[in-house]
Amino acid sequence: MKHAFGFLAAMTLAGAASAQNWDMPTPYGDSTFHTQNIMQFADDVRAATDGGLDITIHSAGSLIPHAEIKNAVRSRQVPIGEFFLSQLSNEDLAYGLDSQPFLATSYEEAQALWAAQKPVIAELLAEQGLMPLFSVAWPAQGLYTNGEIETVDDLNGLRFRAYNAVLEEFTAKAGAAPVQVEASDIPQAFSTGQVEAMITSPSTGVNSTAWDFVSHYSPINAWIPKNIVVVNQRVFDRLDPATQEAVMEAAATAETRGWEMSAAEAEQQTVALAENGITVYEPSAALLDGLKSIGGEMLESWKAEASDAALSVMSAYEN
């Protein structure tokens, strides 16, 4: 019996030693559908590997700040992480095409853009030892203000929350003053007067209780940006083939599920904004024309500065 017990104990210890635990930083809170989707992804991996790979989610920037997540995965500080894709547009403009104003404004267009982006972005990330697992879109970006905005001129002088270089440029061209603010800091930024308006998804609006600090929302559908989940290639390569397959299958499922969640979220959260007292109004033709004109200017500038990789994405998308 002693020998049997010793054998079983040794087997248990061997199993525990072979199990892997991954810490995964994400930028958004637990109520955000992206985070909920990633939690399901982790559950799927855990189930498919019988606990052989256990991914612990550290949401809302609690482990690593948003801006540092990509480099933390690259340096193997953590093996896996999520971040806002267009945050990397300063590295190559190919990363920021989904935040290019009025380039892709429906889910169908956004899917086509991701299909064009994916191989190029995979190649760019591979140069940094990273591999994309899946990417999920946010709902289309809408305009949050105090009072209805009828034309671009009404944005003049407003302190405007920005979350990437493209939005900084867009709001500046509209005459507003861009201020970089993370999603988790939105309520404080409004309450202190740091910002007065923002363009973001209905999801972020609800998660930040936008009705506490703005009165109006307009679904201008400016762009449909994405988050991306990446893994360190060397860490992934150390997994056994069966675990690698489990991760990739869970990732493919998470991408499909995440886009479906995003579409449902767009409808539900726009209703939630109205139910909490925000006036939801359709943008005027004058406002849309003015904003699209700015988008057109920015696209021409983008083409003049874009790398060959970025231009190849645009060519694939347009054709």
Side-chain angles (χ1 to χ4, degrees), residues 206 209-212 214-215 269-279:
V206 171
T209 61
W211 45 87
D212 289 339
V214 296
S215 61
Q269 302 298 52
T270 300
V271 170
L273 290 172
E275 288 177 346
N276 281 281
I278 286 183
T279 300

Side-chain angles (χ1 to χ4, degrees), residues 73-74 124-131 231-235:
V73 179
R74 184 181 182 185
L124 290 171
L125 289 172
E127 293 171 5
Q128 302 185 47
L130 301 171
M131 181 176 76
V231 65
N232 183 282
Q233 186 74 60
R234 286 177 64 180
V235 175

Side-chain angles (χ1 to χ4, degrees), residues 4-317:
F5 178 78
F7 175 75
L8 288 171
M11 290 297 290
T12 301
L13 287 171
S18 64
Q20 294 200 49
N21 296 291
W22 284 6
D23 288 310
M24 180 176 182
T26 74
Y28 305 97
D30 291 350
S31 62
T32 304
F33 77 94
H34 282 282
T35 308
Q36 293 169 0
N37 185 42
I38 285 170
M39 287 175 172
Q40 184 62 55
F41 161 74
D43 287 344
D44 291 348
V45 169
R46 194 176 301 112
T49 61
D50 292 324
L53 180 56
D54 191 359
I55 302 174
T56 301
I57 311 302
H58 301 270
S59 58
S62 57
L63 182 64
I64 294 171
H66 190 179
E68 298 171 21
I69 290 176
K70 189 268 285 184
N71 285 335
V73 179
R74 184 181 182 185
S75 65
R76 299 198 301 282
Q77 184 180 346
V78 291
I80 186 172
E82 177 204 30
F83 53 85
F84 192 66
L85 182 60
S86 61
Q87 196 178 55
L88 305 188
S89 58
N90 61 332
E91 296 182 16
D92 193 290
L93 292 178
Y95 290 114
L97 263 171
D98 61 11
S99 291
Q100 199 64 31
F102 298 99
L103 179 64
T105 60
S106 68
Y107 280 106
E108 185 179 11
E109 290 172 348
Q111 288 271 20
L113 180 57
W114 176 229
Q117 275 182 300
K118 190 172 184 177
V120 173
I121 283 172
E123 194 172 321
L124 290 171
L125 289 172
E127 293 171 5
Q128 302 185 47
L130 301 171
M131 181 176 76
L133 289 179
F134 61 93
S135 182
V136 173
W138 287 93
Q141 306 291 280
L143 177 63
Y144 295 79
T145 54
N146 279 302
E148 186 170 332
I149 302 297
E150 296 181 358
T151 69
V152 171
D153 290 342
D154 293 339
L155 300 174
N156 190 51
L158 290 179
R159 291 185 294 279
F160 222 100
R161 180 236 174 181
Y163 51 68
N164 61 19
V166 175
L167 185 50
E168 280 191 20
E169 181 183 358
F170 186 69
T171 53
K173 283 184 176 293
V179 182
Q180 280 282 347
V181 174
E182 281 291 333
S184 57
D185 298 326
I186 287 173
Q188 183 180 1
F190 273 93
S191 66
T192 59
Q194 185 182 6
V195 294
E196 303 168 284
M198 62 182 177
I199 291 177
T200 195
S201 69
S203 306
T204 301
V206 171
N207 290 334
S208 60
T209 61
W211 45 87
D212 289 339
F213 44 82
V214 296
S215 61
H216 285 65
Y217 170 77
S218 184
I220 58 173
N221 296 344
W223 52 88
I224 299 177
K226 297 183 293 291
N227 288 358
I228 193 166
V229 171
V230 302
V231 65
N232 183 282
Q233 186 74 60
R234 286 177 64 180
V235 175
F236 181 82
D237 288 345
R238 289 195 201 109
L239 298 174
D240 63 79
T243 304
Q244 289 181 356
E245 184 179 356
V247 170
M248 296 309 293
E249 286 183 0
T253 300
E255 181 158 299
T256 300
R257 180 180 58 234
W259 282 74
E260 291 171 354
M261 291 173 75
S262 181
E265 181 91 356
E267 294 182 18
Q268 293 165 5
Q269 302 298 52
T270 300
V271 170
L273 290 172
E275 288 177 346
N276 281 281
I278 286 183
T279 300
V280 178
Y281 66 99
E282 288 300 313
S284 68
L287 176 60
L288 282 180
D289 287 347
L291 294 175
K292 287 178 180 177
S293 177
I294 294 171
E297 283 179 40
M298 289 178 63
L299 188 58
E300 290 308 307
S301 298
W302 182 93
K303 288 178 178 177
E305 298 171 7
S307 65
D308 289 343
L311 289 171
S312 73
V313 174
M314 179 63 78
S315 177
Y317 174 64

